[in-house]
Amino acid sequence: MTKKTIEDWQALAEKELKASPETLTWLTPEGIAVKPLYTADDLADVGHLESLPGFAPFTRGPRATMYAGRPWTIRQYAGFSTAEASNAFYKRNLAAGQKGLSVAFDLATHRGYDSDHPRVEGDVGKAGVAIDSVEDMKILFDAIPLDQMSVSMTMNGAVIPILANFIVAGEEQGVSRDKLSGTIQNDILKEFMVRNTYIYPPEPSMRIVADIIEYTAKEMPKFNSISISGYHMQEAGATLVQELAFTLADGREYVRAALAKGLDVDEFAGRLSFFFAIGMNFFMEAAKLRAARLLWTRIMQEFSPKKPSSLMLRTHCQTSGVSLAEQDPYNNIIRTAFEAMSAVLGGTQSLHTNSFDEAIALPTEFSARIARNTQLILQHETGVTKVVDPLAGSYYVESLTKELADAAWALIEEVESLGGMTKAVDEGLPKRLIEEAATRRQAAVDRGEEVIVGVNKYRLETEDEIDILDIDNTAVRLSQIKRLEETKRRRDAKAVETTLAELTRVAQTGEGNLLAAAVEAARARATVGEISDAMRAVFGDHSAEPKVVSKVYGDSYHDDPEYQMIVSRLSEFKTALGAKPKIMVAKLGQDGHDRGAKVISSAFGDLGFEVLAGPLFQTPEEAADLAISQKVHVVGMSSLAAGHKTLAPQLVEALKAKGADNIIVVVGGVIPRQDYQYLLDHGVAAVFGPGTNVLEAARAVMDLMQGRLRNG
């Protein structure tokens, strides 16, 4: 196509749209300029076009026939309440067409606490299934043949006791560990960046990763030792370039850790897997998976593997949780379907589709069936499985693949210049960039620059109430404690003591393998908490210092009249109050998902509040003490893990007991509308659900403070 032809098209397009060329070009959050028209000329310097599926650099897929030979695996990430309840849910899903299990654990388990620990009162069974010992794990997989079923487990902090329990549960089902198939996430660097369900400091945590890779390489040939996850990065606000770059840089770091254990790269590289989020930028998400395979091949070639499979990136994908909206929630079904199609066109190996109600609560059986059927319809009715890589050769997608790969590689090289991903995480680079991106996006949504149907445009006048799944946290905890006590009563206490002492010795000396030692402890019925504590005694606990970005949300508003009005009002209120209005943003319980808390802290700080970002994992009592000592006017509790009905009333009561009921308590996050009145009845002053505009929240908080000031 000639330059003259392009110029003629541009002139015609401008005439039709009455727009300038700049208006026609879209700048993505990643800074990639997307043109309205792509032609063969855009592929002139794209080097990956000649590759075929199944051959390096695997841009078109890791298998030659892809879905034409075998469709992707349908997985549904699920787990809640007790092992019995989750087991029944799994069996129903498998009977209805699900092909693999993907287990969600509760936050107490993630953080290495048993259900009877006082710090996890509001977390047990809430955002996943509670696992305290092998007895729970056996029930979880009761009558599910582990020699036939691939099991994926999202676990990082307490990865050693959970994988040990899984191995022993398999043994006692008659399935030796060499027959177990599936994946353990085991991706701790991502936890330090965004998700925060870590236990130990970075250095011993990386040792745990390496020990698991070593053990599985030798003992579990069908099992993937790590799922290197970008999913939680995108959920925390990362751009696609950041998700791609930091995930692959994490992978490079894990390979180096395994090599440092003396392993040959071909012993383990073929059992590494990846996990990406799929959001609403349809073509770019598909291009991201293509770019990921291209770049991973480039990275792995550094280590000179002999097997072609060592160069392959294989990935699981999950549709976005952040793209789900509380408002007009049936729109989420449509969003998830588009995201699922994007993942498939990008060439994922397995897929989880979110349920439409997950912006509000845990999925019901009704919503989970729709999510599962979305994939079944894709596989059986759309024809996408008939052709290998249907997007190949697309001017737009191939150009995007190259642009994403180039931009991500530049960021990977920046990480490398710092000394690798562990050093970059220590210095806070990924966390800062992701938090800035999250805050920038929130401002774009609040301003209406990024349209979300039913949230900031085309809103319903009234929202219909939908059925939700509500877990009785107290009943689950009591049930778990009862089984825990029974397990401890029946076990050989001497064997537990001996095996835990050996685990501590391995941790202390560095001699031996941590997972191998933990398997012996689990077999003796040591609990998840006891195994975690045996390593805590040597490694200690990791404690992150909360930091908040500034001048990102405010800079996005510039001279916006509404923003300036709130800034002015806060300034006047400061004069009347005699001090800056002070808000503490608190994360209670074991919920480490802090995107919302960080965005609110950043935005409120830019508006003129004095913001105290509370540490993660506080108890209500600790939060109350900190709020009083720091003389805050408001505590904003951020909740994403369904513990609000337990933890918020406890915070209100703790403040009241300490004579500080003048401190206002508000709650925001993933909170069903059905729970609003309960919280208000228990002393919470205001509730801000998902999708709340930050400026509206700031106005409401100011109204509450001024009302409290007027009333003495």
Side-chain angles (χ1 to χ4, degrees):
M1 189 171 290
T2 67
K3 183 179 179 184
K4 176 72 165 60
T5 307
I6 296 291
E7 289 173 350
D8 288 345
W9 174 85
Q10 185 72 58
L12 179 61
E14 288 178 46
K15 182 178 177 182
E16 289 178 357
L17 296 175
K18 296 181 180 177
S20 66
E22 291 78 16
T23 306
L24 295 174
T25 298
W26 170 46
L27 191 67
T28 73
E30 293 76 19
I32 294 174
V34 175
K35 303 183 298 183
L37 179 69
Y38 285 78
T39 70
D41 294 343
D42 293 293
L43 303 185
D45 62 344
V46 175
H48 63 259
L49 292 175
E50 300 305 315
S51 67
L52 290 171
F55 290 87
F58 307 103
T59 315
R60 299 189 61 186
R63 295 205 319 271
T65 56
M66 286 301 289
Y67 308 141
R70 186 180 73 201
W72 67 92
T73 301
I74 298 173
R75 292 187 187 277
Q76 290 303 100
Y77 179 53
F80 56 89
S81 184
T82 60
E84 291 91 342
S86 291
N87 174 262
F89 187 78
Y90 293 158
K91 287 175 181 172
R92 290 192 294 271
N93 281 4
L94 292 170
Q98 186 175 311
K99 298 300 182 185
L101 292 179
S102 192
V103 182
F105 298 96
D106 73 356
L107 290 168
T109 305
H110 271 288
R111 294 266 296 141
Y113 292 115
D114 290 332
S115 297
D116 59 356
H117 198 286
R119 297 196 73 85
V120 299
E121 188 176 343
D123 298 300
V124 177
K126 269 299 196 180
V129 61
I131 298 292
D132 291 317
S133 74
V134 171
E135 297 304 324
D136 291 322
M137 195 70 85
K138 286 169 66 178
I139 293 167
L140 187 66
F141 297 113
D142 180 51
I144 296 174
L146 292 177
D147 55 344
Q148 300 172 37
M149 183 59 57
S150 170
V151 177
S152 173
M153 293 179 284
T154 299
M155 178 54 65
N156 302 285
V159 62
I160 288 283
I162 287 300
L163 187 50
N165 278 322
F166 178 68
I167 291 167
V168 175
E171 285 176 4
E172 297 187 8
Q173 197 188 86
V175 181
S176 59
R177 54 183 172 265
D178 62 306
K179 300 292 192 300
L180 295 171
S181 65
T183 305
I184 190 80
Q185 192 163 95
N186 191 28
D187 178 7
I188 201 63
L189 288 174
K190 169 262 299 179
E191 297 296 331
F192 293 122
M193 274 189 269
V194 291
R195 190 164 173 255
N196 300 313
T197 47
Y198 44 67
I199 300 174
Y200 315 107
E203 191 174 334
S205 294
M206 286 297 289
R207 179 186 163 193
I208 286 170
V209 171
D211 275 18
I212 289 172
I213 293 174
E214 178 186 51
Y215 183 95
T216 53
K218 294 176 179 176
E219 305 285 339
M220 303 172 73
K222 295 184 174 182
F223 201 81
N224 297 326
S225 55
I226 191 167
S227 174
I228 305 154
S229 174
Y231 183 86
H232 301 98
M233 296 181 200
Q234 188 180 137
E235 292 292 280
T239 66
L240 271 61
V241 166
Q242 291 167 354
E243 178 192 9
L244 189 54
F246 294 147
T247 304
L248 297 182
D250 279 352
R252 181 191 249 168
E253 197 86 339
Y254 294 136
V255 171
R256 287 170 174 161
L259 293 175
K261 293 285 292 185
L263 295 175
D264 181 87
V265 66
D266 288 316
E267 284 185 87
F268 64 87
R271 303 313 304 173
L272 304 178
S273 67
F274 287 80
F275 175 26
F276 287 103
I278 302 295
M280 285 298 288
N281 192 340
F282 186 87
F283 291 106
M284 192 171 281
E285 289 287 5
K288 179 185 75 181
L289 299 186
R290 298 162 66 81
R293 291 190 290 269
L294 175 70
L295 293 179
W296 186 244
T297 296
R298 186 186 301 176
I299 287 170
M300 289 306 294
Q301 284 169 339
E302 298 170 8
F303 304 108
S304 304
K306 295 179 177 62
K307 294 180 182 177
S309 60
S310 297
L311 300 172
M312 289 180 186
L313 180 145
R314 295 160 301 111
T315 190
H316 171 70
C317 288
Q318 180 173 338
T319 59
S320 173
V322 167
S323 71
L324 303 178
E326 179 205 34
Q327 297 85 351
D328 206 357
Y330 293 113
N331 289 338
N332 295 333
I333 298 171
I334 304 157
R335 293 183 178 105
T336 295
F338 282 133
E339 291 170 349
M341 176 71 89
S342 178
V344 168
L345 291 177
T348 189
Q349 278 59 71
S350 65
L351 179 62
H352 165 91
T353 33
N354 286 332
S355 300
F356 74 86
D357 49 1
E358 288 188 58
I360 304 163
L362 290 167
T364 62
E365 287 198 37
F366 170 70
S367 66
R369 179 171 60 85
I370 294 172
R372 182 180 61 251
N373 287 352
T374 299
Q375 294 198 54
L376 291 171
I377 290 166
L378 266 178
Q379 284 191 355
H380 295 288
E381 298 185 29
T382 64
V384 295
T385 61
K386 307 301 183 187
V387 177
V388 180
D389 191 18
L391 290 183
S394 159
Y395 301 145
Y396 178 38
V397 172
E398 299 292 13
S399 297
L400 273 183
T401 299
K402 181 182 185 302
E403 290 215 50
L404 277 167
D406 289 348
W409 188 252
L411 189 50
I412 290 169
E413 291 293 270
E414 183 179 350
V415 166
E416 198 68 1
S417 72
L418 294 174
M421 203 59 183
T422 304
K423 292 281 180 61
V425 168
D426 281 344
E427 293 187 20
L429 172 73
K431 198 173 188 69
R432 175 176 57 79
L433 293 180
I434 290 170
E435 287 172 6
E436 287 175 358
T439 306
R440 200 172 291 114
R441 183 183 185 248
Q442 184 63 49
V445 171
D446 287 352
R447 286 173 62 83
E449 293 165 355
E450 183 174 333
V451 173
I452 301 177
V453 174
V455 177
N456 60 4
K457 201 167 185 180
Y458 312 112
R459 286 198 66 157
L460 293 174
E461 287 186 17
T462 57
E463 295 277 353
D464 294 333
E465 191 171 292
I466 66 168
D467 291 334
I468 63 166
L469 178 63
D470 188 21
I471 302 298
D472 185 343
N473 164 245
T474 302
V476 174
R477 188 164 185 263
L478 291 174
S479 169
Q480 287 298 120
I481 290 171
K482 183 178 178 182
R483 185 182 297 135
L484 198 52
E485 290 171 346
E486 179 66 13
T487 299
K488 288 180 177 180
R489 186 183 65 79
R490 295 174 60 183
R491 70 189 185 179
D492 181 340
K494 182 66 177 172
V496 173
E497 183 183 339
T498 301
T499 55
L500 288 175
E502 172 60 12
L503 176 57
T504 298
R505 186 198 67 78
V506 172
Q508 211 155 30
T509 64
E511 298 170 2
N513 185 284
L514 290 165
L515 179 56
V519 168
E520 297 305 316
R523 195 177 285 125
R525 291 318 189 258
T527 68
V528 167
E530 289 169 337
I531 292 172
S532 299
D533 285 347
M535 293 185 288
R536 266 191 180 105
V538 178
F539 299 150
D541 279 285
H542 178 67
S543 180
E545 182 185 342
K547 295 179 180 176
V548 178
V549 300
S550 61
K551 297 181 180 177
V552 175
Y553 190 90
D555 285 356
S556 300
Y557 269 83
H558 300 295
D559 297 323
D560 181 89
E562 186 180 12
Y563 181 86
Q564 292 302 326
M565 182 270 291
I566 294 177
V567 170
S568 175
R569 188 178 164 196
L570 268 167
S571 180
E572 292 170 5
F573 187 47
K574 175 184 173 183
T575 303
L577 196 64
K580 243 187 179 186
K582 191 170 185 179
I583 182 170
M584 172 178 148
V585 180
K587 292 292 296 180
L588 305 187
Q590 302 307 305
D591 174 17
H593 298 79
D594 62 352
R595 173 181 179 160
K598 289 291 182 66
V599 167
I600 287 294
S601 297
S602 178
F604 272 48
D606 286 356
L607 283 163
F609 284 88
E610 183 178 348
V611 179
L612 171 65
L616 292 171
F617 315 127
Q618 284 189 307
T619 64
E621 188 82 10
E622 289 165 347
D625 286 339
L626 183 60
I628 292 166
S629 69
Q630 294 297 310
K631 298 184 170 67
V632 306
H633 303 102
V634 180
V635 176
M637 174 184 154
S638 173
S639 175
L640 275 84
H644 51 270
K645 286 174 73 174
T646 300
L647 298 169
Q650 287 182 357
L651 173 60
V652 171
E653 286 304 311
L655 288 168
K656 189 175 181 181
K658 297 171 189 295
D661 51 354
N662 60 308
I663 295 177
I664 299 165
V665 175
V666 299
V667 179
V670 179
I671 301 164
R673 290 178 184 271
Q674 291 92 321
D675 291 351
Y676 285 18
Q677 195 57 52
Y678 177 91
L679 294 174
L680 296 172
D681 290 344
H682 285 78
V684 172
V687 182
F688 304 108
T692 300
N693 183 289
V694 171
L695 297 188
E696 291 176 9
R699 275 199 307 271
V701 169
M702 286 180 61
D703 289 343
L704 288 167
M705 290 179 67
Q706 288 179 322
R708 188 67 58 93
L709 185 65
R710 280 195 299 269
N711 296 329

